[in-house]
Amino acid sequence: MQKIDSYPRIGIRPVIDGRLGGIRESLEEKTMAMARTVAKLFKTELKYPDGKPVECVIADSCIGGIKEAVDCDKKFKAENVGVSLSVTPCWAYGTETMDFDPHIPKAIWGFNGTERPGGVYLAATLAAHNQKGLPAFGIYGRDVQDLNDDGIAKDVKEKLLCFARAGMAVALMKGKSYLAIGSVSMGIAGSAVDPDFFQDFLGMRNEYVDSSEVLRRIEQGIYDHEEYEKALAWTKKNCAEGEDFNKEEKQRSREQKDKDWEFVVKMTLIIRDLMEGNPKLREMGFGEESMGHEAIVSGFQGQRQWTDFLPNGDFAEAILNSSFDWNGKRPPYMVATENDALNGVSMLFNYLLTNRAQIFADVRTYWSPEAVERVSGWKPEGMAENGFIHLINSGSATLDGTGRQVKDGQPAMKPYWEISEEEVQECLDATTWYPASLGYFRGGGYSSGFLTKGGMQVTMCRVNLVKGIGPTLQIAEGWTIDLPQKVHKILDERTDRTWPTTWFVPRLTEDNAFADVYSVMNNWGSNHGAISCGHIGQELIALAAVLRIPVSMHNVDPGRIFRPSTWNSFGMDREGSDFRACNTYGPLYK
């Protein structure tokens, strides 16, 4: 992962009425206090992927005109600022003080007070941003505050944090890469990597290696051998092997299975090294291999050319996607199954907004109440009464997805620094590693089997590419649910008992796509989804707006939707205006 000194920072621009002779002087302290208060909020509430507080850079002086605006811009460029927030309690000269950088996410907080018109500056400068084609988020509190009130109202805090999380996600992915290991898997369109999408919309590079590079490194010993021994010992101790459900005459021998364990552990080390590099390899004489590909997300093709004769990537993907391994707790890596780059990006969006591991899954089956009762004899009730969706894929899902971590008394997936050692062990104990189904994976390997605990708030999202439109984003907030054990067994074994299962219920609304659970499944744009702990639809919508990716489907409460102010100029229909605005402004980096 990135080192702390290379992480982008949030720049705070205290904007002031530049008229000297009594006006500016009376506002200096208040304006700078707003900047310091917001910086404290961000430092307290926001964390980098390594768990350290997000850093803020405040302009050296209040900005009352173009000279100070330019000085601020120079400082921000020198100090790696990736997100810009202007704050003001008063009127100021809009076009002289605004941020002109077209590629940095930006917002303005105009203080709602009657003594000085911060709201007037906000409106005037947002109009300038809109006129000049530089979209900015507008933040304005619902209730009037006194000028000497240095607190941040609850609604203002929510918008500040939503904007900052979305902006930091944009800044963190900029300049990084998606590493495709292999090519297109089984005709899945999402694994036909589109470099224009990554470059124009995300500001990211694309890196490619053939799957044979993994095999080359295994055969030529291009990995840390000392770490491999440590990893293999940890795996034997903590990753319980399950029953072999293959037909007896097709089962691999014990010797073959043991070699498969050795192989998949090496795969895990190598895919990690391909993503981020490893200085140990340089010491071993492999200078080029030591550098990695600066990949913030990757994908492994696997099926079928690899898995027809070599152990599958399920173990490597599952462990890398988790928040822990033989070296202890650590930030999860984002690794997409079947090289589905679009689902990899969806996982990346969720991760950068939350710092939590992500579940990669097929959006596999809608179970209607009638179908459940017919095959199991149980009539769904409670949260399951309207039916549910079976999220399942070959065992590549993060082990955090077992739901064995706890936050506020509920099952959760947490940032790695909040996870206890006991929770790590519970996630491991809740996972069984089954010999891979040889019908799917002729080359063997192991697949993780677990059942996600019910009662966890989750958000599922997916980026899709649509000809004539470009990228779109789908969002479904909901919950994981528990089923009676007998019912779970009956339904689960109709698919593949060796794979991890999450039973998912979306929040229903009056919108057509969320009128019932069937409609959510029926309107989902692909076979895969990225599932994050927490209801983060608001942040995903804000992030998508910054990147100019329209949201085609969501169940977020309208009162929580937060987009740049210029979106209001594209009509009163929120979804239609989103498409029109994104089409008008085009990709962020084009």
Side-chain angles (χ1 to χ4, degrees), residues 99-120:
D99 185 342
F100 270 80
D101 192 315
H103 294 147
I104 289 184
K106 51 184 62 65
I108 304 171
W109 173 25
F111 186 79
N112 184 1
T114 56
E115 294 91 340
R116 296 286 182 177
V120 176

Side-chain angles (χ1 to χ4, degrees), residues 20-260:
L20 289 167
I23 295 178
R24 175 166 180 156
E25 294 88 340
S26 68
L27 294 164
E28 290 274 6
E29 184 177 344
K30 171 63 180 179
T31 305
M32 196 57 80
M34 283 183 70
R36 288 192 292 265
T37 299
V38 174
K40 182 178 179 181
L41 171 70
F42 289 160
K43 186 174 182 179
T44 301
E45 296 287 341
L46 303 178
K47 299 287 191 296
Y48 289 121
D50 64 2
K52 292 185 173 64
V54 163
E55 294 185 357
C56 296
V57 177
I58 300 176
D60 290 333
S61 69
C62 291
I63 299 169
I66 188 169
K67 173 64 168 63
E68 289 160 326
V70 170
D71 289 344
C72 175
D73 184 58
K74 291 178 180 177
K75 178 174 183 175
F76 282 6
K77 283 182 169 60
E79 300 202 26
N80 195 24
V81 165
V83 182
S84 171
L85 172 69
S86 300
V87 301
T88 187
C90 60
W91 166 254
Y93 301 163
T95 56
E96 296 181 18
T97 59
M98 63 188 280
D99 185 342
F100 270 80
D101 192 315
H103 294 147
I104 289 184
K106 51 184 62 65
I108 304 171
W109 173 25
F111 186 79
N112 184 1
T114 56
E115 294 91 340
R116 296 286 182 177
V120 176
Y121 173 83
L122 174 66
T125 311
L126 288 175
H129 276 280
N130 299 346
Q131 187 171 330
K132 293 176 180 296
L134 300 169
F137 290 77
I139 300 171
Y140 183 62
R142 177 176 292 274
D143 298 319
V144 171
Q145 293 179 255
D146 297 329
L147 192 61
N148 61 2
D149 183 354
D150 290 330
I152 302 178
K154 182 179 179 182
D155 61 328
V156 172
K157 177 180 177 181
E158 180 180 328
K159 288 183 176 180
L160 285 169
L161 291 174
C162 178
F163 163 73
R165 289 191 179 102
M168 283 301 294
V170 172
L172 284 163
M173 72 178 80
K174 182 180 179 182
K176 307 303 281 187
S177 68
Y178 177 90
L179 173 62
I181 304 172
S183 184
V184 178
S185 174
M186 302 182 296
I188 295 172
S191 60
V193 180
D194 185 328
D196 289 341
F197 164 65
F198 279 91
Q199 177 179 323
D200 295 347
F201 284 89
L202 310 181
M204 290 176 59
R205 299 171 180 266
N206 292 94
E207 291 284 299
Y208 310 87
V209 297
D210 190 82
S211 301
S212 62
E213 175 63 7
V214 178
L215 185 59
R216 180 182 79 91
R217 293 194 184 198
I218 289 176
E219 292 187 350
Q220 297 184 7
I222 307 175
Y223 53 86
D224 184 336
H225 291 252
E226 184 178 347
E227 184 181 2
Y228 161 69
E229 293 297 338
K230 177 182 179 181
L232 184 62
W234 178 90
T235 299
K236 288 180 177 179
K237 178 181 178 181
N238 293 286
C239 299
E241 185 176 320
E243 181 180 350
D244 191 338
F245 293 111
N246 292 291
K247 292 181 179 179
E248 188 173 352
E249 64 273 17
K250 289 190 174 183
Q251 291 180 9
R252 295 164 77 84
S253 69
R254 183 67 258 168
E255 182 182 6
Q256 287 176 311
K257 290 177 180 178
D258 290 342
K259 287 183 178 179
D260 284 353

